Amino acid sequence: MEQLGFEFAVQPRRLTKVSPARLATFGDCPRRYRLSYLDRPTPPRTGPWAHSTLGAVVHNALRALFDLPPGRRTPERAAALLSEHWQDAGFADGEQAAVYRARAKEWVAGYVEHHDVASDPVGIERWVSAPVNPEPGRPASMIIEGRADRIDQRGGELVIVDYKTGRRAPDEYEARSSQALAMYAVAAERTLRRPCRKVELHHLPSGTVAEATHTPESLRRHLSRAQETAEDVRLATDTLDAGGDADVLFPARPGRRCSWCDFRPSCETGQRAAPAAKPWELLAP
């Protein structure tokens, strides 16, 4: 019988889904990646961290603020929303938690006072996903996905906004070198079908904004690095599924981060590498 041209022996390439969080975790410590995403049941973790609680509360308050009509997005309402969403998890005691709650109220109130919050964003905590290839014109080689804090539209173009509450104010270099922001920009442009080149880091404690404008080449470089890491992850995962040695395929990468790693209770290497941090030690002074 005449063949119809189908190549039954050729299997379509499986596209690996990657997110900034997963890629960053694997880059920091492959063992932590395995413990986070592959081992089931998930191994024991540490308790909550105060700096993570603080960041989550600020994000939740700002998300709730943009759910309100523009006329109600006032500094006073922002501070009230911060209190409504507040949690004490990870803080040393109620007194320390109260100090940081008061600071965070000032942060969000000042943010609303000094930034334009009247316009409705295109997305708040918006999930974006897109098949991509770093090389233009070639078939997709991976699917990038993630949740952007905020996506604005300004003058017909999209802008990625990421909130920061850490000790140090970020700068333009950090905005430009952020793989996460670059991936969000690419995925947002593909998902929402509008140009997206500008990314911003909004640091609430200092009230500063670090911004960068990408070029197609700079985005391609970020995607190329993401694909390299994604290939390493896929190879290690497939080999593990085939019976490979977990400790060889996903080795620990000990260092200072071991002090505050969520999986410290499950990692003897990390316990030997650095002393355990207190849950509140990573808060800004």
Side-chain angles (χ1 to χ4, degrees), residues 4 18 20 93 163 190 206 238 272:
L4 299 179
V18 297
D93 50 37
Y163 302 125
R190 303 286 178 87
S206 66
D238 288 349
R272 293 192 300 266

Side-chain angles (χ1 to χ4, degrees), residues 164 168-179 181 201 210 212:
K164 294 296 181 183
R168 182 180 55 82
D171 55 20
E172 179 186 349
Y173 173 80
E174 188 169 338
R176 188 178 305 279
S177 62
S178 169
Q179 186 179 75
L181 295 184
L201 294 171

Side-chain angles (χ1 to χ4, degrees), residues 217-256:
E217 177 59 25
S218 66
L219 291 175
R220 189 193 69 79
R221 288 195 298 269
H222 276 292
L223 291 179
S224 294
R225 287 195 291 270
Q227 180 166 276
E228 290 173 3
T229 305
E231 288 295 325
D232 291 342
V233 172
R234 185 177 65 84
L235 177 60
T237 302
D238 288 349
T239 307
L240 179 66
D241 291 342
D245 188 317
D247 289 335
V248 173
L249 296 168
F250 295 90
R253 192 166 292 160
R256 290 182 61 249

Side-chain angles (χ1 to χ4, degrees), residues 54-183:
L54 182 63
V57 168
V58 168
H59 280 70
N60 290 337
L62 291 176
R63 180 185 61 195
L65 183 79
F66 280 102
D67 285 339
L68 299 174
R72 295 183 59 197
R73 298 172 192 166
T74 63
E76 295 76 17
R77 187 59 187 140
L81 287 169
L82 189 288
S83 292
E84 291 175 17
H85 286 84
W86 184 258
Q87 298 180 29
D88 287 352
F91 289 91
D93 50 37
E95 182 179 355
Q96 185 190 56
V99 169
Y100 279 90
R101 182 171 65 248
R103 288 185 185 180
K105 289 173 67 175
E106 293 178 357
W107 297 348
V108 296
Y111 185 83
V112 173
E113 182 178 356
H114 296 103
H115 290 78
D116 179 14
V117 296
S119 300
D120 287 330
V122 175
I124 294 290
E125 302 287 344
R126 174 67 186 263
W127 185 266
V128 289
S129 176
V132 299
N133 190 312
E135 299 300 326
R138 301 192 63 180
S141 57
M142 61 181 170
I143 298 174
I144 57 174
E145 57 186 18
R147 193 181 306 276
D149 287 349
R150 198 173 94 208
I151 305 175
D152 290 348
Q153 179 168 322
R154 304 178 200 162
E157 296 190 356
L158 302 177
V159 178
I160 302 297
V161 174
D162 194 63
Y163 302 125
K164 294 296 181 183
T165 57
R167 299 184 176 200
R168 182 180 55 82
D171 55 20
E172 179 186 349
Y173 173 80
E174 188 169 338
R176 188 178 305 279
S177 62
S178 169
Q179 186 179 75
L181 295 184
M183 291 173 67

